[in-house]
Amino acid sequence: SYELTQSPALSVSPGQTAIITCSGHKLGDKNAYWYQQKPGQSPVMVIYEDMKRPSGIPERFSGSNSGNTATLTISGTQGMDEADYYCQAWDSNTVVFGGGTKLTV
Amino acid sequence: QVQLVQSGAEVKKPGASVKVSCKASGYTFSDYYIQWVRQAPGQGLEWMGWINPNSGGINYAQKFQGRVTMTRDTSISTAYVELSGLKSDDTAVYYCARTLVVVKYHGMDVWGQGTTVTVSS
């Protein structure tokens, strides 16, 4: 079965750039999606189709996807960005999630 | 506004079944698949499957096959997930989310508020 791998945790200082990666076999041939989840809340999509931002998501969130790695970049990270981040892709008609990355700011 | 509203928390005994509902509003129910995703305490997101409200077609994650049933009632724009043979490790928050499927599969752009299911003797 298809797997997506994320580093469990990342810590950055306010104002720095946070780079969260998601690895999977030929992931660049698929579309990657990213979700932010804060404690006690439902997940929120922050990036879709590799690099697009849904309405209402700040410009500091960006994404890319190539080869075996999708990347979520948060520029000028703020305290409110502290959350768990999950990548997601489709394998045929099945959803696959990464294990999540806990971002500490 | 577009929203998915789920039923309330449940407490069940091992071996029992639980049925969670997800009521859609603010959009055409049949235009989007409904996904079910669960999250055990302190753990990541786990995909359970989806239902196509238009056709009733379903796809379950292999892990849950034989134990999960997803249905919908288009007359009230509501999707359901039922999980049987509950075990303690089924204790989790269960989420529904919608996905557009046009030409290809898209992401989950709207999520329900989650339903806590606790399995305890």
Side-chain angles (χ1 to χ4, degrees):
Chain A
S1 60
Y2 194 77
E3 293 184 358
L4 294 174
T5 302
Q6 298 180 240
S7 297
L10 175 66
S11 180
V12 299
S13 299
Q16 286 189 329
T17 296
I19 299 175
I20 300 171
T21 61
C22 173
S23 299
H25 180 65
K26 294 187 177 180
L27 180 55
D29 291 344
K30 308 176 186 295
N31 282 143
Y33 301 85
W34 290 93
Y35 303 90
Q36 175 194 69
Q37 187 182 33
K38 297 181 179 179
Q41 298 184 18
S42 301
V44 172
M45 179 187 287
V46 293
I47 292 290
Y48 67 100
E49 293 178 8
D50 300 333
M51 61 180 62
K52 299 176 182 178
R53 276 180 295 105
S55 174
I57 300 302
E59 290 185 8
R60 64 180 180 274
F61 288 85
S62 63
S64 63
N65 185 17
S66 179
N68 294 320
T69 304
T71 301
L72 172 68
T73 302
I74 310 172
S75 304
T77 306
Q78 300 182 9
M80 68 175 66
D81 301 328
E82 185 162 291
D84 294 326
Y85 290 86
Y86 296 90
C87 61
Q88 178 248 309
W90 284 89
D91 180 40
S92 184
N93 61 353
T94 296
V95 169
V96 182
F97 285 107
T101 297
K102 183 176 183 61
L103 176 64
T104 301
V105 182
Chain B
Q1 72 281 25
V2 175
Q3 58 179 352
L4 299 172
V5 178
Q6 299 182 222
S7 49
E10 302 266 11
V11 179
K12 296 292 183 180
K13 294 192 181 302
S17 297
V18 68
K19 190 171 186 177
V20 177
S21 67
C22 171
K23 182 172 178 59
S25 62
Y27 73 97
T28 302
F29 181 58
S30 58
D31 284 353
Y32 290 77
Y33 285 26
I34 294 292
Q35 309 262 12
W36 289 95
V37 176
R38 76 177 188 179
Q39 186 171 39
Q43 302 302 307
L45 302 176
E46 182 175 34
W47 179 71
M48 299 180 68
W50 54 251
I51 183 167
N52 176 349
N54 189 37
S55 66
I58 48 90
N59 185 33
Y60 301 146
Q62 191 167 6
K63 173 177 179 176
F64 298 101
Q65 291 197 11
R67 236 178 22 112
V68 70
T69 304
M70 295 179 187
T71 56
R72 90 294 189 211
D73 184 340
T74 55
S75 69
I76 55 172
S77 300
T78 300
Y80 304 89
V81 64
E82 184 171 18
L83 191 61
S84 61
L86 290 171
K87 302 167 283 188
S88 59
D89 59 5
D90 290 318
T91 294
V93 177
Y94 289 73
Y95 295 102
C96 62
R98 75 170 195 176
T99 293
L100 182 66
V101 180
V102 174
V103 179
K104 64 179 181 179
Y105 296 96
H106 294 260
M108 302 175 209
D109 67 337
V110 177
W111 292 67
Q113 83 276 20
T115 296
T116 299
V117 175
T118 303
V119 182
S120 174
S121 55

